[in-house]
Amino acid sequence: MFKRIADLKADDNVGKTVVLKGWIHRLRKQKQKTFIILRDDRGDIIQVVCPSRLCEDLTIESSIEITGPLNRDSRAPEDGYEVKAERIVSFNIAETDYPIGEYQSEETLLDYRHLSLRTRKMINVGRVRNSLLKYSRDWFYAENWMEITPPILVKSAVEGGSTLFKVKYFDDVAFLSQSSQLYLESMIYCLGPVWSITPSFRAEKSRTIRHLAEFTHLEAEAPWITIDDLISIQEKLVFNLVEKIKENNTAELDFLNTTSKIKLERISIPFEKISYDKAIDILRSKDCKIKDGDTNRVIEWGDDLNIESERELTKDRYNPIFVINYPLGIKPFYVKQSDVDSKTGMAVDLLAPEGYGEISGGGIREDNLEKLKNRITESKLEPKDYQWYLDLRKYGSVPHGGFGLGMERVLRWILGFEDIKDVVLFPRTMSRITP
Ligand code: ATP
Ligand code: MG
């Protein structure tokens, strides 16, 4: 029976003959001896030493099975384990022009992402992604939220028409979902607090280090909820995710960014809450500029917070912050108008520290039928596309709210990466849809 490298090391099989299956990650041929770094299907590596006569035809990324005794040798990389191969069987001898080597441009690595996923960086990213998905699911199940699987082919925009991807739908047109929120809203009447994790699609036309055309969207919605509840749910969820990753993904964090763990150690709850008004005051006191047509001017009340202003607000912090009560005009049609100030909407965004900015957006939804209809028309959307959604306000409307968290945004922040493309396996952007 073959073993995985992690099991072999964990059970300490030193002295025993072991069988391993994997790929040749690195290869150094000498006259007598050949040194192989073998990578198994979980991405772990181990050094294999074998007589060069057994290795003549072997190449990088050839898939092989090796048999031999496990030894410990302090010169071997990674915990000093080493296998002395006595037998090697190959499944496939890889062609010699394997395009991924030690020094490649970022673009080349992206062009060959189907192969560069085998690099140790991407293996470690893949592991943390897996953990983040698992810990999110664990948290929602423990808190008794129900998971749903909403449709991706939809007729109605959630975030505005300019970022919609249109698809031919038989003799009609449909769109790829920008958010599952409207569908989650329909479920709170019968399943209570619900959540989903789906791909969301946005035709983001500006190239930024935090926007993808397809991203992994975790969304949640609950009836009879206040803005304070929403804040506290997100605080608990995000803090729990950070704690779990910190506890269980030390090896990956250390490999990817030696300072990641230290910065996660400093995070504590509660996260600070500031109003949008206060955010604008802070930004104005720092003379923060925004682009307005061809000119730059100082940010003012009514402007949306963009990447630069969010960076300014968060760059000197190590804890995330919530920004609440945005102007209604810069938020989508479904955001509930404040009862105390008609110019503001009951929206809340969560901004990650150290300049990373928005990781989640949410708020209380407009539950008044007339107000919602007006907001749909004002937003230049087609009321007929929202008939079914308006029904939710006709038949037993209740105060409710929710949020959407971008998993890649969370990963980018936790791992301390600059570019969001590095935390997704096959990034989709304006200029890239292959591989
Ligand atoms: P931004 O202002 O950064 O464009 P948004 O306000 O459009 O974000 P929401 O519509 O509130 O974002 O979506 C909820 C969450 O989904 C965001 O907080 C973010 O984490 C994530 N998200 C949104 N758009 C993208 C994208 N293009 N790529 C990756 N993640 C995204
Ligand atoms: Mg956006």
Side-chain angles (χ1 to χ4, degrees):
M1 250 293 278
F2 81 99
K3 282 209 183 248
R4 291 228 166 85
I5 292 168
D7 300 335
L8 192 112
K9 291 179 182 177
D11 301 346
D12 204 358
N13 287 287
V14 172
K16 293 186 195 150
T17 291
V18 297
V19 182
L20 290 172
K21 289 185 205 283
W23 293 264
I24 298 183
H25 196 66
R26 300 258 179 279
L27 184 64
R28 188 156 52 89
K29 289 183 182 172
Q30 293 177 352
K31 212 161 179 198
Q32 301 295 328
K33 277 196 216 164
T34 292
F35 293 88
I36 294 170
I37 299 291
L38 187 81
R39 186 186 73 244
D40 73 5
D41 61 345
R42 288 287 194 215
D44 288 311
I45 58 171
I46 194 166
Q47 177 159 291
V48 176
V49 195
C50 52
S52 289
R53 64 186 159 75
L54 294 182
C55 306
E56 269 156 22
D57 56 346
L58 296 184
T59 53
I60 289 283
E61 288 304 317
S62 293
S63 44
I64 56 172
E65 179 184 283
I66 63 131
T67 309
L70 179 72
N71 290 328
R72 277 204 102 147
D73 185 327
S74 57
R75 288 165 301 176
E78 307 258 322
D79 333 326
Y81 283 95
E82 181 181 87
V83 178
K84 295 230 178 298
E86 290 166 352
R87 198 175 103 94
I88 297 186
V89 182
S90 60
F91 300 99
N92 171 264
I93 296 297
E95 296 187 15
T96 51
D97 55 353
Y98 188 64
I100 311 293
E102 280 194 52
Y103 306 102
Q104 242 91 44
S105 72
E106 286 300 316
E107 278 308 298
T108 308
L109 290 172
L110 284 166
D111 289 341
Y112 287 101
R113 192 58 156 246
H114 51 296
L115 300 175
S116 64
L117 288 174
R118 304 177 191 184
T119 57
R120 303 206 69 213
K121 173 178 174 182
M122 291 313 296
I123 290 167
N124 281 287
V125 169
R127 288 176 177 172
V128 184
R129 272 188 78 93
N130 167 62
S131 296
L132 190 68
L133 292 169
K134 177 187 169 357
Y135 302 143
S136 306
R137 267 210 171 85
D138 288 350
W139 189 84
F140 278 106
Y141 277 85
E143 298 284 319
N144 203 16
W145 291 62
M146 293 230 188
E147 183 172 8
I148 64 161
T149 52
I152 300 299
L153 283 168
V154 298
K155 270 306 259 188
S156 14
V158 185
E159 296 299 320
S162 66
T163 63
L164 278 175
F165 279 110
K166 218 186 239 183
V167 291
K168 191 171 169 326
Y169 190 72
F170 303 104
D171 293 330
D172 197 356
V173 287
F175 306 108
L176 296 179
S177 167
Q178 295 167 307
S179 154
S180 300
Q181 182 198 314
L182 308 190
Y183 292 95
L184 286 163
E185 282 186 64
S186 72
M187 299 307 290
I188 60 161
Y189 299 81
C190 46
L191 289 183
V194 285
W195 74 288
S196 62
I197 189 146
T198 62
S200 278
F201 301 86
R202 309 228 178 141
E204 305 280 4
K205 280 161 203 114
S206 55
R207 283 183 210 177
T208 80
I209 49 173
R210 69 176 206 190
H211 286 95
L212 293 162
E214 176 177 349
F215 65 96
T216 314
H217 207 171
L218 184 159
E219 291 176 275
E221 198 74 26
W224 294 295
I225 206 170
T226 65
I227 203 110
D228 289 340
D229 297 333
L230 264 181
I231 286 176
S232 131
I233 292 163
Q234 293 187 73
E235 203 168 63
K236 280 193 263 173
L237 168 66
V238 170
F239 185 67
N240 179 270
L241 294 177
V242 166
E243 287 285 286
K244 284 277 182 320
I245 299 266
K246 204 172 71 186
E247 262 168 54
N248 302 312
N249 293 86
T250 319
E252 291 79 20
L253 293 181
D254 285 347
F255 182 88
L256 291 168
N257 181 342
T258 44
T259 60
S260 259
K261 217 179 136 243
I262 302 162
K263 78 176 194 183
L264 298 184
E265 287 299 345
R266 298 162 76 181
I267 296 169
S268 61
I269 44 178
F271 301 156
E272 194 185 338
K273 290 113 206 155
I274 64 167
S275 66
Y276 167 89
D277 292 5
K278 178 160 179 212
I280 293 293
D281 287 348
I282 297 173
L283 293 168
R284 284 180 68 82
S285 74
K286 294 184 175 185
D287 208 28
C288 184
K289 304 262 194 331
I290 63 152
K291 235 184 155 52
D292 189 356
D294 290 336
T295 55
N296 283 332
R297 62 164 172 79
V298 176
I299 194 165
E300 56 189 53
W301 199 95
D303 291 325
D304 206 354
L305 302 182
N306 60 12
I307 295 188
E308 289 75 34
S309 40
E310 289 179 6
R311 184 180 301 131
E312 200 55 46
L313 286 172
T314 62
K315 68 176 200 256
D316 300 324
R317 296 171 184 267
Y318 50 82
N319 246 353
I321 53 164
F322 287 104
V323 179
I324 54 174
N325 298 338
Y326 283 78
L328 199 55
I330 55 171
K331 286 290 173 188
F333 68 91
Y334 50 75
V335 171
K336 186 174 170 66
Q337 189 176 37
S338 156
D339 303 324
V340 284
D341 174 7
S342 62
K343 294 194 306 305
T344 63
M346 298 168 77
V348 48
D349 283 0
L350 179 57
L351 314 185
E354 295 176 287
Y356 281 98
E358 182 174 338
I359 55 171
S360 139
I364 303 300
R365 319 306 186 187
E366 186 54 77
D367 53 323
N368 176 287
L369 179 64
E370 290 313 312
K371 282 189 180 173
L372 189 59
K373 274 187 187 162
N374 289 340
R375 297 266 295 145
I376 289 177
T377 334
E378 280 162 23
S379 307
K380 308 217 165 16
L381 298 167
E382 281 292 332
K384 71 170 178 4
D385 292 336
Y386 297 89
Q387 282 315 330
W388 69 270
Y389 182 63
L390 292 170
D391 276 353
L392 305 178
R393 307 312 193 250
K394 289 185 195 164
Y395 307 110
S397 190
V398 290
H400 67 285
F403 64 90
L405 183 73
M407 294 309 245
E408 287 79 12
R409 295 268 180 103
V410 175
L411 278 168
R412 173 176 169 259
W413 158 53
I414 287 183
L415 298 179
F417 284 1
E418 180 76 7
D419 192 338
I420 198 163
K421 290 201 291 297
D422 287 348
V423 302
V424 62
L425 303 183
F426 290 99
R428 265 78 182 101
T429 63
M430 205 168 108
S431 55
R432 181 172 293 281
I433 185 150
T434 48

